[in-house]
Amino acid sequence: MQNEYLLITIGAVLVNNFVLSKILGICPLLGVSKKLDAAIGMSGAVIFVLTLATFVTASIYNLILAPNSHFAKLTGVNLDYLQTLVFILVIAGLVQVVEIILQKIAPPLYNALGIYLPLITTNCAVLGAVVINAKEARGILNSTIYGFCSAVGFALALILFSSIREKLELAKTPKAFQGTSIALITAGILAMAFMGFSGLVK
Amino acid sequence: MITYSIIIVAGTGLILGVLIALAAKFFSIEQDPKISELSAILPGVNCGACGFAGCADFAKALLEERASPDMCPVSSPSIRFLVAKALDAAHIEPAKRIAVVFCGGNNHHAKTSAQYNGVSDCRSANLIAGGGKVCDYGCLGLGSCARACPFGAIEIIAGLAVIHPELCTACKKCIKTCPRTLIKLVPASVHVHVFCSSPDKPADKRKCCDVSCIACKKCVNAAGENQMTIAGFLVRINYENPPADDLVEKAACPTKCLSNTYPSSYTRAKITTAEEEEKTA
């Protein structure tokens, strides 16, 4: 049992890293990697939203939408095809609610997560994680762990990348490569480095 | 099947809508309306090129004076103008700064060792044995800065660049041009400066220029505490805590190096009315 969680963790963080291996969430990778502070805030928000989103969507999926769910057996209908629609709706709505509540009851946390919280509600990394969960037919607990771990993987990639980019600002880059182009090349090299983990977990 | 899917999706939407409405009602907090005003002016694409998390975050940073309007590379000059205007309305206005040439050695005061006949450009002259003047730190007076100034604020008077403060917009173009880094931005409210940039020994300075700073400290003693700083053989105004304008009279600088905005040995050439008309046209 613990072995399974370990496999999910290592698989999501290192082997099938969301950014560098699955190429999901590239927008924040390039957009908010100029400063390490911003990257850390973004990472925190992604971890928060993904854990929450995977938990809620996995609950809905396992209870209502899945072909073998209680609801499906009771009514005899297969609502599997609704998953993308319902997932986006639930994630967007839920994050709005959580944001409003956080702003009121936990201002420091709200400030730390900042604008990233609403920005990533419809991010492909978030939707990707919940859809992968549904496809793999994971249980609620496994889904939540997978969501949390893939967000940690995202955070790892983002923080690594932004640290490199901060150093790149000081480096002597040829004029044609300055800015986004050297960032894209760096992202590619980083992704190649993460290829070293492939095959570790199936 | 269609009924069920409609019920499920509509029901989810309804529940979430009610949840958001309730949360907004019971957990609402007041937000600074200026932030939304500013974000409405900004490009609103949340590209993150400014280094902040989005236009709203940038607007917040602007209001907290952690950012300046020119940090948004996406916005056009007109947007920047609107942002600056909106910030003025919020009483955030950075103190006006002007550029000053820290040298007083014109053709009458600074001695020449050679006649420079090369290209009439300070950067070229600086490459060829440092131009004609003996002082290695003085203004070359060939007008590279005057040509770089998009506002025509720099005039070469008797071989010395002089900046007209009314015309200076602190765009820093001249600062980048000057090969001897003599031009610096100072607060426009300060009218007294030490017009010398030579770190040489006083005896050497006197040999090559009549209006150099010889570090006699008369002005340092005449000014209040911490209003002047002295580094090596060069006195500087502390622009964080500047002395009053009458320091020039009180200090009685023996070389007239300490002086009001322009070297006192010549009055500033007045901007002719023709030039003013041209400017307004």
Side-chain angles (χ1 to χ4, degrees):
Chain A
M1 200 65 183
Q2 272 115 24
N3 215 359
E4 196 191 334
Y5 297 146
L6 188 71
L7 280 180
I8 291 179
T9 309
I10 292 175
V13 176
L14 296 175
V15 183
N16 293 318
N17 188 289
F18 253 54
V19 184
L20 300 171
S21 168
K22 288 209 167 84
I23 321 295
L24 290 167
I26 294 302
C27 160
L29 183 77
L30 294 172
V32 262
S33 56
K34 269 193 160 178
K35 278 189 194 165
L36 190 57
D37 294 352
I40 290 170
M42 180 76 186
S43 307
V46 170
I47 293 173
F48 184 82
V49 170
L50 247 178
T51 313
L52 190 77
T54 43
F55 171 71
V56 176
T57 52
S59 309
I60 290 176
Y61 185 75
N62 281 308
L63 293 176
I64 301 170
L65 298 180
N68 56 354
S69 68
H70 193 61
F71 183 81
K73 278 176 195 149
L74 198 74
T75 55
V77 291
N78 183 2
L79 295 177
D80 201 28
Y81 69 97
L82 277 180
Q83 50 171 269
T84 309
L85 187 65
V86 173
F87 288 171
I88 276 289
L89 188 67
V90 169
I91 295 166
L94 203 72
V95 171
Q96 290 281 311
V97 176
V98 170
E99 194 200 355
I100 295 167
I101 295 174
L102 269 187
Q103 203 173 358
K104 180 80 174 177
I105 62 168
L109 182 62
Y110 176 79
N111 286 335
L113 301 181
I115 186 87
Y116 311 113
L117 202 54
L119 269 184
I120 51 165
T121 48
T122 48
N123 188 283
C124 54
V126 178
L127 185 67
V130 298
V131 170
I132 288 168
N133 272 335
K135 203 176 93 189
E136 306 261 316
R138 290 199 177 99
I140 297 173
L141 182 62
N142 276 3
S143 295
T144 314
I145 292 172
Y146 178 76
F148 175 75
C149 292
S150 42
V152 171
F154 176 88
L156 177 75
L158 188 62
I159 289 169
L160 273 179
F161 188 56
S162 66
S163 314
I164 295 173
R165 260 188 105 171
E166 277 195 351
K167 291 264 189 292
L168 269 180
E169 288 283 309
L170 304 171
K172 260 191 182 171
T173 322
K175 201 166 182 205
F177 285 114
Q178 274 167 17
T180 312
S181 51
I182 193 75
L184 282 167
I185 293 167
T186 315
I189 295 170
L190 205 58
M192 280 205 281
F194 267 68
M195 269 170 71
F197 291 113
S198 65
L200 199 63
V201 175
K202 209 167 62 166
Chain B
M1 186 149 159
I2 290 172
T3 338
Y4 279 117
S5 40
I6 290 173
I7 290 170
I8 295 281
V9 176
T12 322
L14 195 71
I15 292 168
L16 285 165
V18 170
L19 266 177
I20 293 174
L22 285 177
K25 182 146 176 61
F26 291 107
F27 293 95
S28 66
I29 57 160
E30 302 240 331
Q31 213 198 9
D32 193 347
K34 278 175 207 135
I35 293 177
S36 51
E37 261 171 49
L38 265 182
S39 339
I41 300 171
L42 289 168
V45 285
N46 292 323
C47 62
C50 53
F52 292 95
C55 290
D57 199 35
F58 182 56
K60 210 172 147 208
L62 280 173
L63 278 170
E64 289 167 6
E65 292 184 66
R66 284 187 287 123
S68 63
D70 58 344
M71 280 167 77
C72 175
V74 182
S75 58
S76 61
S78 59
I79 291 179
R80 269 172 231 171
F81 174 75
L82 284 174
V83 169
K85 220 173 129 193
L87 286 175
D88 278 352
H91 297 294
I92 296 169
E93 189 182 15
K96 185 179 169 359
R97 291 160 82 83
I98 53 159
V100 165
V101 182
F102 282 93
C103 177
N106 64 5
N107 288 345
H108 310 299
H109 294 302
K111 294 193 176 56
T112 47
S113 58
Q115 195 178 5
Y116 175 71
N117 275 333
V119 181
S120 186
D121 180 88
C122 300
R123 283 162 295 187
S124 308
N126 194 39
L127 288 173
I128 303 166
K133 279 177 188 164
V134 180
C135 178
D136 285 336
Y137 304 94
C139 174
L140 292 156
L142 296 170
S144 290
C145 52
R147 284 188 290 278
C149 180
F151 303 97
I154 305 180
E155 193 180 347
I156 304 296
I157 306 172
L160 177 69
V162 173
I163 299 177
H164 297 302
E166 320 80 57
L167 299 176
C168 179
T169 59
C171 69
K172 302 187 187 170
K173 283 238 163 73
C174 53
I175 295 177
K176 284 176 196 145
T177 312
C178 183
R180 295 193 156 172
T181 58
L182 291 173
I183 310 176
K184 299 208 161 53
L185 282 189
V186 297
S189 54
V190 183
H191 300 296
V192 53
H193 309 285
V194 178
F195 287 94
C196 183
S197 295
S198 171
D200 278 349
K201 284 180 184 156
D204 295 340
K205 279 199 248 185
R206 289 223 72 158
K207 271 180 213 156
C208 66
C209 182
D210 296 342
V211 289
S212 58
C213 173
I214 51 170
C216 65
K217 296 190 189 170
K218 273 183 120 173
C219 54
V220 180
N221 296 331
E225 202 180 320
N226 206 24
Q227 288 187 322
M228 312 278 282
T229 54
I230 183 155
F233 301 111
L234 197 58
V235 176
R236 278 273 172 265
I237 305 280
N238 180 5
Y239 288 101
E240 307 275 307
N241 178 23
D245 294 352
D246 63 351
L247 180 72
V248 180
E249 287 86 54
K250 274 202 274 179
C253 178
T255 60
K256 304 274 192 301
C257 177
L258 179 88
S259 98
N260 287 103
T261 307
Y262 295 102
S264 53
S265 45
Y266 30 71
T267 49
R268 207 197 92 218
K270 281 208 171 131
I271 312 160
T272 58
T273 40
E275 270 175 331
E276 269 180 350
E277 274 165 16
E278 196 182 88
K279 196 154 58 69
T280 47

